Amino acid sequence: MKGNIEERACQLALYIIENKATVRGAAQRFGISKSTVHKDLSERLPAFNKPLYLQVKQVLDENKAERHIRGGIATRRKYRGGD
């Protein structure tokens, strides 16, 4: 997924917004690192597309607020045997 960085940042943002995806999920889908996804969305995207950045920021903030719950569910599944 190399090439135009602005285009990549927009594609990442749209993917996350449409699928309510996490940074990790987007990185896996596009075959790039989590740090690249984070840098594209938090530093590069606001410089050229502020409205799209504000939309993706809402999804990322929601994911961040819920991640402790997802972590607890994963731990429960691990020790209960895959509920």
Side-chain angles (χ1 to χ4, degrees), residues 8-60:
R8 180 180 68 200
C10 286
Q11 287 177 347
L12 284 165
L14 291 173
Y15 177 78
I16 288 175
I17 292 166
E18 290 170 3
N19 298 297
K20 301 276 189 216
T22 60
V23 170
R24 182 177 294 218
Q28 191 171 23
R29 167 72 172 79
F30 286 88
I32 55 179
S33 71
K34 293 184 300 180
S35 59
T36 302
V37 172
H38 190 265
K39 184 165 185 130
D40 281 353
L41 297 178
S42 65
E43 294 179 17
R44 295 178 178 140
L45 187 62
F48 62 87
N49 194 336
K50 190 75 166 180
L52 186 59
Y53 166 72
L54 294 174
Q55 286 181 316
V56 79
K57 185 172 177 359
Q58 284 181 330
V59 175
L60 294 177

